[in-house]
Amino acid sequence: MLFADVSGSTRLYETAGDAAALDAIGRCIERLSQAAESTGGRVLKTMGDEVMVLFPTPDAAASAASEMHAAVDTLPPVNGTKLGVRIGFHSGPVIQRDNDVFGDTVNLAARLVEQAQKGQIITSHETSQQLSPALRAFSRRLYSIAIKGKADRGGLCEIEWRTVSHTTTDVGPRPEARSAAAALRLRYRDLQLVRRRENDLTIIGRDPSCGLVIASQNVSRLHCTIVRRHESFVLRDHSTNGTFVTVDGDGEILVQREDMPLRRHGWLALGEPRGETAEVVAYFVD
């Protein structure tokens, strides 16, 4: 169950007037609805500046949320006011009746969108654990909130939508010259991978679903990801034992639950130092 709320609408009514504000918010709602339906969602209702959508899976909701943000982000400011979106979603059973839904899942999803800031996607920790590894990698734990009618506090997670959108549909044109400006090559045993485009995401780990699979007991199922960020490639570690990065000519650095830009040429050792393992990935930034 997902709620998306247009942020900045109150100020827009004050600065641009009712007619202009209503038109701009209508365009936002239309884009939110299109993004939801393109990823398998069913728009149940729109309520002023809010959209209520039902999805078949948490992955579909997360993908739609990233598409919603990206779609609204391309809209120009109106009278100096840039509209954005706040999104919250939660997974669980619902009662469906007359094209409407009811129950604790709906109530909690509505509570989550209240916690989101402009530009954020908020979900429950419980729901984040149901995401596929590729999407779960881009969630991070936040604080906990009191939930009406429940003794335990509910943990919140934020999903980084700019990265998630790279794993789903490309929502807009990007300059070809810029995309081709740099390339990343990964070499592991007899396998070589080349990544050039901004939406190329590389997942490295022990799980068979990873783009580069390394079957070692010291390697986490979803160990690290490499994503293009502007004109550089960034390694993000998600593992228990960390990723040991050696840039040619420099010393070895342990990256653990943090980001590190990859420079020039070097090596990635997953879960243990490079000198103690044969499972080493060589990288080249051309």
Side-chain angles (χ1 to χ4, degrees), residues 43-266:
V43 177
L44 299 175
K45 64 175 72 173
T46 60
M47 302 158 284
D49 56 3
E50 189 173 62
V51 177
M52 179 180 178
V53 191
L54 185 65
F55 288 93
T57 65
D59 271 21
S63 298
S66 70
E67 297 295 337
M68 288 175 169
H69 275 302
V72 171
D73 197 49
T74 61
L75 291 173
V78 179
N79 202 37
T81 298
K82 176 68 174 173
L83 294 175
V85 189
R86 303 182 303 136
I87 297 177
F89 72 91
H90 178 62
S91 178
V94 297
I95 299 172
Q96 301 189 52
R97 185 178 301 160
D98 299 328
N99 202 38
D100 203 351
V101 292
F102 308 89
D104 283 346
T105 298
V106 180
N107 296 335
L108 183 50
R111 181 91 165 84
L112 294 178
V113 76
E114 294 174 355
Q115 299 297 312
Q117 302 295 317
K118 179 180 178 180
Q120 274 192 314
I121 302 171
I122 299 296
T123 190
S124 61
H125 176 65
E126 175 188 350
T127 300
S128 74
Q129 296 306 296
Q130 300 176 44
L131 295 171
S132 64
L135 293 178
R136 195 186 316 138
F138 302 108
S139 68
R140 64 186 185 94
R141 290 291 297 267
L142 299 176
Y143 50 91
S144 298
I145 60 171
I147 301 174
K148 184 177 180 180
K150 297 184 182 296
D152 297 331
R153 296 174 65 86
L156 305 186
C157 286
E158 178 183 6
I159 297 175
E160 300 176 31
W161 65 268
R162 288 178 178 83
T163 309
V164 170
S165 66
H166 292 164
T167 73
T168 56
T169 304
D170 189 1
V171 297
R174 296 182 173 90
E176 289 297 324
R178 177 176 168 180
S179 295
L184 172 73
R185 289 186 292 126
L186 300 175
R187 191 174 63 209
Y188 173 66
R189 296 187 177 179
D190 296 329
L191 178 65
Q192 180 162 287
L193 301 177
V194 178
R195 297 291 183 262
R196 295 182 184 275
R197 297 187 300 272
E198 191 170 355
N199 60 340
D200 275 341
L201 174 74
T202 303
I203 306 173
I204 306 175
R206 197 177 70 245
D207 193 276
S209 66
C210 293
L212 181 56
V213 180
I214 299 180
S216 170
Q217 62 180 2
N218 291 315
V219 178
S220 296
R221 290 181 59 253
L222 180 64
H223 196 97
C224 63
T225 53
I226 302 176
V227 64
R228 180 167 177 169
R229 186 177 296 167
H230 303 300
E231 291 301 319
S232 63
F233 291 90
V234 178
L235 178 139
R236 170 167 293 180
D237 178 83
H238 315 286
S239 69
T240 301
N241 299 320
T243 302
F244 292 81
V245 181
T246 305
V247 179
D248 191 19
D250 295 340
E252 189 171 70
I253 298 174
L254 173 60
V255 180
Q256 196 158 25
R257 301 299 176 95
E258 56 189 357
D259 295 2
M260 178 177 175
L262 298 180
R263 298 180 291 114
R264 305 192 306 269
H265 160 53

